[in-house]
Amino acid sequence: MSIITRRIVPAIAIAGTMMLVATGCIAGENADASAPDDSTATGEWSSDTLTVDFATYNPLSLVIKDQGILEDILGDDVEVEWVQSAGSNKANELLRSGSVDVGSTAGSAALLARANGSPIQVIDIYSQPEWSAIVVGPDSGITTLEDLAGTSIAATKGTDPYFFLLQALEEGGLSLDDVEVQNLQHADGRAALDGGSVDAWAGLDPIMAAAEVESGDQLIYRNVDFNTYGFLNATEDFINNHADLAQAVVDAYEQARAWALENPEETAALLAEVAGIDIEVATTVIEERSNLDVNGIPGDAQIEVLEKIAPVLVDSGDVQGGQASVDKALETIVNATFAEKAAKGE
């Protein structure tokens, strides 16, 4: 279930003086040329509300929400609403329904959504994580990918762990026909593994890291190349009609990234608080698996990764329209306008 919250008191104060950014309305791809380009010059924004998601798999969203960075940028004229995403699939549902204006997913999930007709584009990159692996219980006899044949595996369809699983099965000479996939949300997948109702789980941090420490679960297969980037997405409608707000969100993300890189311990403490996990687990996630020190401008690096995953998406049968739809999505999913402007400090 998605949870709508509003920030009341920040838990961590921003170090130093935060520069408030007033941005003009920047035309994104397919933008309406008739839209005004001076909406913020008069102190007015294109909307009086902005709804964005936060997620434990997106540490920068936690920093922005906790510190009120967006509220500081937008002032009193825009009410910021926060909606929690339990996974990339849920974030895509929120974007498609219009329940959020900006949502965070894995790159693979964003590609799947766009290939299936969701008009989203990536406007910023928030991480390059190793956030998924194949997980088994502490006493499991499964030690290799080949051992997964004939087993039951929990995975959340439409998310990076699911696509990680598909690639891992192929690596082990297996296919979906060789296993039984139980489509469970990430936290439920861990519970199913610990309860013995599945043999393995395609895990997602920070839940996966907590399972290692708290339950003694084992990661039997890791491959950073099978993980895709963290994508910050918005619909084309929002980009075209509220480019000033899209820019404000991306600016906030770049401010949060700089702060998180300078304050990893505080970032881990925030993750531990929000996710309800031990600080040791959160520290592992932030310092070893999140890789927040990545260029926020989406482009060739992300497309290269998605091109490797594209055949897996097509073969899975999850894409309506097959290869043609995936190819079209690859060509149109990136909108670097806002991140480029943020990088220049404009």
Side-chain angles (χ1 to χ4, degrees), residues 145 164-175 308 311-312 315:
L145 292 175
F164 184 96
L165 172 62
L166 297 185
Q167 295 174 91
L169 290 174
E170 183 178 8
E171 184 75 8
L174 304 174
S175 71
K308 294 178 182 177
V312 178
D315 292 342

Side-chain angles (χ1 to χ4, degrees), residues 19-217:
M19 178 180 295
L20 303 183
V21 180
T23 59
C25 186
I26 309 302
E29 287 186 9
N30 307 315
D32 182 357
S34 65
D37 61 4
D38 61 349
S39 58
T40 58
T42 60
E44 298 177 355
W45 298 90
S46 60
S47 174
D48 58 6
T49 61
L50 172 65
T51 307
V52 294
D53 81 340
F54 70 99
T56 56
Y57 56 84
N58 177 0
L60 296 187
S61 70
L62 307 184
V63 173
I64 295 169
K65 179 178 181 292
D66 180 74
Q67 297 184 353
I69 297 176
L70 260 176
E71 289 86 345
D72 287 342
I73 291 174
L74 297 171
D76 297 331
D77 294 332
V78 181
E79 179 183 11
V80 179
E81 294 185 340
W82 291 93
V83 179
Q84 184 168 9
S85 292
S88 293
N89 61 326
K90 295 301 182 182
N92 275 326
E93 290 173 10
L94 292 168
L95 283 163
R96 183 184 286 272
S97 67
S99 299
V100 298
D101 299 313
V102 182
S104 45
T105 73
S108 57
L111 178 62
L112 175 64
R114 186 163 180 93
N116 279 329
S118 182
I120 62 170
Q121 291 184 311
V122 52
I123 59 175
D124 195 57
I125 301 300
Y126 60 83
S127 67
Q128 185 187 14
E130 183 193 5
W131 52 18
S132 186
I134 303 300
V135 188
V136 299
D139 301 318
S140 175
I142 299 171
T143 59
T144 68
L145 292 175
E146 290 77 10
D147 293 338
L148 292 172
T151 65
S152 176
I153 306 172
T156 309
K157 286 191 174 182
T159 69
D160 232 28
Y162 177 70
F163 299 117
F164 184 96
L165 172 62
L166 297 185
Q167 295 174 91
L169 290 174
E170 183 178 8
E171 184 75 8
L174 304 174
S175 71
L176 283 174
D177 293 334
D178 298 309
V179 299
E180 177 192 356
V181 176
Q182 292 197 26
N183 183 23
L184 299 172
Q185 202 60 46
H186 301 298
D188 296 330
R190 179 198 169 179
L193 177 63
D194 289 347
S197 58
V198 297
D199 303 301
W201 167 48
L204 178 72
D205 274 338
I207 303 170
M208 182 172 69
E212 286 184 274
V213 173
E214 297 167 0
S215 304
D217 292 342

